[in-house]
Amino acid sequence: MMRGETRVYSRAQNSKRIKSPRLAVYSNEQYLLELLVEAGALDAAMVENVRAELGPADSVIDYLVQNNMLTKDYVAQVAANSSGLEFVDLSSFSPDPSILAQVKDDLARRLRFLPLGDDGFSLQVAIADPFDMETMDSLPQFIGRDVSFFVAAEDALDKAIAKFYPEKQTGKQAEESPIIELIDNMFNEAHSMRASDIHIEPMEDRVRFRYRVDGRLIEVANHPKKLLGSMVARIKVMSTTMSIAEKRIPQDGRIELDLKSGAHIDLRVSTVPSNHGESVVMRILDKSALQLGLPQLGFLSDDEATFDRLVTLPDGVILVTGPTGSGKTTTLYACLNHLNRPDKKIITAEDPVEYEMPGINQVMIRSDIGMTFASALRAMLRQAPNIIMIGEIRDGETASIAIQAAMTGHLVLSTLHTNDAPSSIARLEDMGVDRFLIASAVRAIMAQRLCRCLCENCKQDGKLTPKQATMLGIEPDRIVKVPHPGGCDKCRGRGMRGRMGIFEIFQVDDNTRELINSNLSSAELRRRARELGMRTLREDGIRKVLAGRTSAEEVIHVTTGDAS
């Protein structure tokens, strides 16, 4: 079947070759690394730097593959060449059942090899590690005939073994299958409903499943309480970093998953012990946020032009504010996507890095080892960036460094937790930043909220009620015609589908700079900013109601307390 040089091992051969300790896939990894350096695929100094960062039992090759510095196919080809064997590509391999039948299932899985063919003299098999002499010497004895070896990439070999020698279910596995199917169906259903969060909540006598869709929680299922332990255990196993045995303390993890639809999703997992058992919340990380530009955020044309001008300024601080879940991070990613060009160096400090953005240097905050926002920001400034994104300004040290960075020629994007835009001035001042520095460095502060959009497929003509008109500040005798929610299959009968932002943009020009320096209270600063033309969140929402993009009820709901 195979052509090219092969190594044939006989049953009569003994095992007197030197045996190296197994490291990850390759038992002689150091030798293979030297070969990769000789081939020009790696730099020797870089290999040593990586080795210094890893633990003694960690594989340098695994690290390089995971960070896209090598491919498993290339490594396998180099390993094959160095051993005088032939590399085989298993991606489209279709075996002869009679060849597979010559090997027991458990033997193929345990020793990690795959029968390929029979040349009349020996059984041809694929292995991943041509340096594992112990396995190569013993395999002919296990099989009962001579063997010739080929080398395949590790992942391709494991997939092929799992496909052609599937592991039979034990009694325990058979019991677990319904739980596996239940959790898999939950992931697929949540994704099809465009959910942003999955909540598994233990009650006194049941387990409740809820999905957050367009910002609202929807109860979708209830299951027997006795299934809770198995469901949580399944999720922890999928996350790989969570302990099944530990149920007393909160845990965090992450899951990467391929769905039936072909979609690939990432989930951030959080478990918390409650009085009825462990509660699980999984946030579905929507990678479509990486493709957003400013138009997709929900701006009307005039605000889009204003914000576009602000984020393309060469320096200064631009802040996005709002409560948790108001879309601040999505707005920052959209800004970075808009600004990401080959002539700009962009560095971010994030806790955690939720999405990897090509062309942008992203730094993960790890306070447990001293990598705080402040320390990361100091290091980032030494990298000569044009644009810096800080996930959140949480303390005075980070705020001060961000202000100084802006005043030395950098554009700084970040978020704050404040309810409106003008209140951010007082928040920064509370952190210890002088008002004259705030006035000099800050270019704009934008508060935002997310409101649901009317379903374009089923929205209906309607009018504002007198109560709605009064709450929105529209004269009651002016009963305005605006679309209302309908209900159809596309929006699952809710009349609303998708979300957009409503915004309050506080620009720091010469007039507002004077207001900031005059030590006005937040309420007075807000009043004066409105006199100078700043639109409030509710006023922007009203414009979008009149434009037919959302409903009056939705704007009233999300801006309650923000109308003044």
Side-chain angles (χ1 to χ4, degrees):
M1 170 187 164
M2 296 290 171
R3 299 176 61 187
E5 187 177 1
T6 61
R7 184 175 298 168
V8 179
Y9 280 65
S10 165
R11 284 174 289 168
Q13 288 176 298
N14 58 32
S15 302
K16 293 182 179 179
R17 294 176 177 82
I18 297 173
K19 301 179 180 67
S20 303
R22 175 173 291 276
L23 292 173
V25 180
Y26 299 101
S27 53
N28 200 337
E29 181 172 272
Q30 176 57 34
Y31 174 56
L32 185 52
L33 285 168
E34 292 170 3
L35 293 173
L36 290 165
V37 171
E38 289 176 11
L42 297 175
D43 175 80
M46 182 265 288
V47 170
E48 291 307 312
N49 288 337
V50 171
R51 192 191 309 281
E53 292 293 325
L54 298 178
D58 293 330
S59 166
V60 174
I61 288 177
D62 277 357
Y63 176 89
L64 297 172
V65 168
Q66 290 166 8
N67 287 275
N68 300 316
M69 300 179 194
L70 288 172
T71 66
K72 290 184 177 180
D73 277 3
Y74 182 76
V75 173
Q77 289 175 33
V78 171
N81 292 339
S82 72
S83 307
L85 301 180
E86 184 178 346
F87 172 79
V88 59
D89 182 358
L90 296 179
S91 58
S92 58
F93 175 65
S94 180
D96 183 338
S98 66
I99 300 297
L100 294 177
Q102 295 186 39
V103 173
K104 293 181 179 179
D105 296 22
D106 61 338
L107 183 66
R109 290 193 298 268
R110 180 162 52 88
L111 297 182
R112 287 182 82 190
F113 73 94
L114 181 72
L116 303 173
D118 191 331
D119 61 7
F121 301 98
S122 60
L123 182 67
Q124 299 169 318
V125 304
I127 58 173
D129 181 6
F131 307 121
D132 183 4
M133 298 303 179
E134 183 173 1
T135 297
M136 295 174 72
D137 282 343
S138 59
L139 198 54
Q141 300 171 44
F142 283 116
I143 294 176
R145 61 174 302 187
D146 293 345
V147 176
S148 56
F149 291 94
F150 295 78
V151 179
E154 172 207 9
D155 54 346
L157 178 65
D158 287 342
K159 286 180 181 178
I161 292 172
K163 179 179 180 181
F164 300 122
Y165 292 110
E167 193 167 0
K168 294 180 176 63
Q169 283 190 338
T170 64
K172 182 179 179 182
Q173 289 170 331
E175 293 174 6
E176 292 173 347
S177 291
I179 295 297
I180 294 173
E181 184 177 0
L182 173 65
I183 297 300
D184 288 348
N185 288 340
M186 174 194 69
F187 287 132
N188 283 282
E189 181 183 53
H191 183 261
S192 70
M193 291 177 65
R194 300 177 303 105
S196 60
D197 302 280
I198 300 170
H199 295 249
I200 300 177
E201 301 165 315
M203 303 295 182
E204 185 176 1
D205 58 350
R206 60 192 170 100
V207 180
R208 179 172 66 180
F209 280 15
R210 293 196 291 176
Y211 304 154
R212 190 180 298 279
V213 180
D214 294 336
R216 306 291 174 90
L217 280 170
I218 301 170
E219 185 170 323
V220 294
N222 285 280
H223 298 286
K225 183 68 177 291
K226 64 182 180 180
L227 299 181
L228 176 65
S230 298
M231 289 190 290
V232 176
R234 171 60 180 166
I235 291 167
K236 287 182 177 180
V237 167
M238 294 178 74
S239 77
T240 70
T241 59
M242 303 172 78
S243 170
I244 298 175
E246 183 56 76
K247 302 178 181 180
R248 301 164 300 171
I249 61 174
Q251 294 189 65
D252 295 305
R254 195 156 183 159
I255 296 174
E256 293 187 26
L257 195 63
D258 291 314
L259 301 178
K260 293 177 182 178
S261 63
H264 179 84
I265 62 171
D266 289 354
L267 300 105
R268 205 163 72 199
V269 185
S270 170
T271 65
V272 174
S274 71
N275 56 330
H276 295 303
E278 285 186 281
S279 174
V280 182
V281 175
M282 291 171 283
R283 182 181 178 193
I284 301 174
L285 302 177
D286 183 7
K287 291 191 175 181
S288 64
L290 297 180
Q291 310 303 320
L292 293 178
L294 299 185
Q296 288 76 41
L297 294 177
F299 289 112
L300 293 176
S301 57
D302 54 346
D303 279 347
E304 182 182 337
T306 297
F307 197 64
D308 185 19
R309 176 181 59 80
L310 291 168
V311 297
T312 52
L313 291 172
D315 56 31
V317 175
I318 296 179
L319 297 172
V320 181
T321 77
T324 301
S326 59
K328 300 186 298 296
T329 301
T330 298
T331 295
L332 289 185
Y333 275 118
C335 290
L336 295 181
N337 195 40
H338 181 64
L339 297 169
N340 191 10
R341 299 193 304 272
D343 63 330
K344 299 289 185 184
K345 179 159 186 174
I346 303 175
I347 305 182
T348 74
E350 304 173 60
D351 181 18
V353 174
E354 293 188 352
Y355 310 105
E356 293 184 5
M357 299 191 74
I360 291 177
N361 301 276
Q362 295 172 271
V363 177
M364 180 179 289
I365 299 305
R366 291 190 58 188
S367 299
D368 57 327
I369 60 171
M371 178 64 84
T372 62
F373 277 111
S375 61
L377 186 49
R378 284 196 197 91
M380 288 158 59
L381 291 174
R382 294 193 288 271
Q383 297 284 311
N386 301 105
I387 300 165
I388 297 169
M389 189 271 271
I390 309 168
E392 182 185 348
I393 294 179
R394 299 177 178 175
D395 54 62
E397 188 178 13
T398 305
S400 296
I401 300 171
I403 293 289
Q404 292 299 325
M407 296 180 70
T408 54
H410 304 85
L411 180 65
V412 180
L413 308 175
S414 191
T415 69
L416 273 179
H417 279 283
T418 60
N419 286 330
D420 62 10
S423 296
S424 299
I425 304 300
R427 178 79 178 108
L428 290 173
E429 189 176 27
D430 289 342
M431 290 181 180
V433 183
D434 292 330
R435 280 214 173 197
F436 77 91
L437 290 175
I438 299 171
S440 300
V442 175
R443 299 287 178 263
I445 304 168
M446 183 174 77
Q448 70 175 62
R449 300 289 188 276
L450 291 176
C451 66
R452 295 182 298 169
C453 302
L454 288 167
C455 176
E456 292 295 329
N457 188 59
C458 63
K459 65 182 181 181
Q460 303 172 350
D461 292 337
K463 291 183 177 181
L464 291 179
T465 65
K467 182 178 179 180
Q468 289 171 342
T470 299
M471 293 187 73
L472 293 176
I474 298 173
E475 295 178 10
D477 57 346
R478 237 182 106 225
I479 304 300
V480 181
K481 291 185 177 181
V482 295
H484 280 222
C488 66
D489 291 340
K490 285 189 176 181
C491 62
R492 296 180 180 262
R494 293 189 294 272
M496 313 295 283
R497 181 177 170 84
R499 288 191 292 176
M500 66 177 177
I502 56 174
F503 307 100
E504 174 179 284
I505 303 176
F506 177 56
Q507 298 183 65
V508 182
D509 53 19
D510 289 340
N511 291 324
T512 51
R513 197 167 288 116
E514 290 180 10
L515 296 179
I516 293 170
N517 282 324
S518 61
N519 288 320
L520 297 177
S521 67
S522 293
E524 183 62 17
L525 184 59
R526 179 177 179 80
R527 186 183 68 79
R528 297 289 297 276
R530 290 193 65 192
E531 290 174 358
L532 292 172
M534 183 190 79
R535 260 191 303 268
T536 66
L537 288 163
R538 177 160 287 186
E539 287 167 345
D540 188 46
I542 292 169
R543 295 200 305 158
K544 287 164 183 173
V545 170
L546 298 177
R549 297 172 69 172
T550 188
S551 69
E553 297 96 324
E554 187 71 11
V555 169
I556 292 168
H557 173 75
V558 301
T559 61
T560 298
D562 299 308
S564 61

